[in-house]
Amino acid sequence: MSADTDNPQGSCALSLSFVDEHTAARLAEIFKALSDPTRVRLIAALCAGERCVHELAEQLEMSQSAISHQLRTLRQLRLVRSHKEGRHVYYALDDDHVLTLFAQGMDHVQHI
Amino acid sequence: MSADTDNPQGSCALSLSFVDEHTAARLAEIFKALSDPTRVRLIAALCAGERCVHELAEQLEMSQSAISHQLRTLRQLRLVRSHKEGRHVYYALDDDHVLTLFAQGMDHVQHI
DNA sequence: ATGATGTTTGAACATATATTCATGAATATT
DNA sequence: AATATTCATGAATATATGTTCAAACATCAT
């Protein structure tokens, strides 16, 4: 069996198999953002629309500080964006890409 | 602004926003599997077809032990499957779901 | 059998991570 | 002004994770 020509996964597989270390690191970073249950629940909550920090803290029944720390992680990785309205800081999914990625993960979980 | 009726993300968002803790944990687990650069590179390598451990170790220029440890993580999360042929253990992506999830991540990275 | 090859496993260590608590900054209310 | 609310930040701690090394296991060849 020749491993080099063996390609059971389809035509797009070839380009995916050439992932340089930098890209691999960035990919890992994105997935790492979603590798924590709290952050998963935050993303899920934001699928329904934007929310401010204390709303998210209530919904997840966690301290405001903990939520803020996690939102910071999500913010740094551009998975969410925020804007201020008075005292409140509203968070929302950065774009539909995040939702698609998240939904794909859900698919996988439900598929197993 | 009524947060409950605000839904700028589309119709599928509602169901995604109701993610119980167990599902969140499983989702996080899946994403965690892809949250390490080595594992990302492994998945990428396997996109081209099945490979045995020492081939992957050569390609990634890492010790066989390190590769084996990471493959175990991926195996436990059903992202890869393996079968033995003589002394060799061949690994492959478990199904197309993995490839789709991975490709979606690539999309996101290249989109930012 | 003996030795060589391919893979897995366990233990130990260093690093990374999430969480909590305390504090500070900005805004709103009285 | 004084106070309360909302959020961000830093430090400390406990836990989790990746890596390395050594040893064990399985398979094959001689």
Side-chain angles (χ1 to χ4, degrees):
Chain A
M1 180 189 300
S2 165
D4 286 335
T5 55
D6 178 31
N7 181 5
Q9 304 292 349
S11 58
C12 71
L14 194 62
S15 65
L16 289 177
S17 66
F18 295 117
V19 175
D20 62 283
E21 294 194 31
H22 178 246
T23 304
R26 288 184 63 200
L27 254 175
E29 237 183 7
I30 295 299
F31 285 117
K32 180 171 285 185
L34 293 167
S35 71
D36 176 81
T38 299
R39 291 196 292 270
V40 165
R41 293 171 69 206
L42 282 174
I43 294 289
L46 293 176
C47 283
E50 63 178 19
R51 296 285 187 275
C52 61
V53 180
H54 80 273
E55 284 174 335
L56 293 168
E58 276 175 29
Q59 182 172 340
L60 272 66
E61 293 180 312
M62 295 180 61
S63 75
Q64 175 266 322
S65 177
I67 296 295
S68 182
H69 273 294
Q70 299 290 21
L71 285 172
R72 180 195 196 179
T73 302
L74 292 173
R75 195 167 11 102
Q76 287 173 338
L77 292 169
R78 310 274 177 89
L79 292 181
V80 303
R81 55 186 159 74
S82 64
H83 71 277
K84 218 170 178 174
E85 287 184 24
R87 289 186 278 196
H88 303 270
V89 177
Y90 283 90
Y91 281 85
L93 298 186
D94 188 69
D95 61 17
D96 281 347
H97 253 268
V98 178
L99 197 114
T100 313
L101 185 59
F102 182 74
Q104 191 66 41
M106 281 287 277
D107 268 13
H108 184 78
V109 165
Q110 289 162 350
H111 172 260
I112 291 176
Chain B
M1 180 188 299
S2 166
D4 286 334
T5 56
D6 177 32
N7 180 3
Q9 304 293 350
S11 58
C12 71
L14 193 60
S15 65
L16 289 178
S17 67
F18 295 117
V19 175
D20 63 282
E21 295 193 31
H22 178 246
T23 304
R26 287 183 64 198
L27 253 175
E29 236 183 8
I30 295 298
F31 285 117
K32 180 171 285 183
L34 293 167
S35 70
D36 176 81
T38 298
R39 290 195 293 268
V40 164
R41 293 170 68 209
L42 282 173
I43 294 288
L46 293 177
C47 284
E50 66 178 17
R51 297 283 187 275
C52 61
V53 181
H54 79 273
E55 284 174 335
L56 293 167
E58 276 175 27
Q59 183 172 341
L60 272 65
E61 292 179 313
M62 293 180 62
S63 77
Q64 210 170 31
S65 177
I67 296 295
S68 180
H69 272 295
Q70 300 290 21
L71 285 173
R72 181 196 197 178
T73 302
L74 293 173
R75 194 166 11 103
Q76 286 173 338
L77 292 169
R78 310 272 176 90
L79 292 181
V80 303
R81 54 185 158 75
S82 64
H83 72 276
K84 216 168 179 177
E85 287 184 23
R87 286 184 279 198
H88 303 269
V89 177
Y90 282 90
Y91 281 84
L93 299 186
D94 187 68
D95 61 16
D96 282 347
H97 253 267
V98 177
L99 198 115
T100 313
L101 185 59
F102 182 73
Q104 192 66 42
M106 281 287 277
D107 267 14
H108 185 78
V109 165
Q110 288 162 349
H111 173 261
I112 289 177

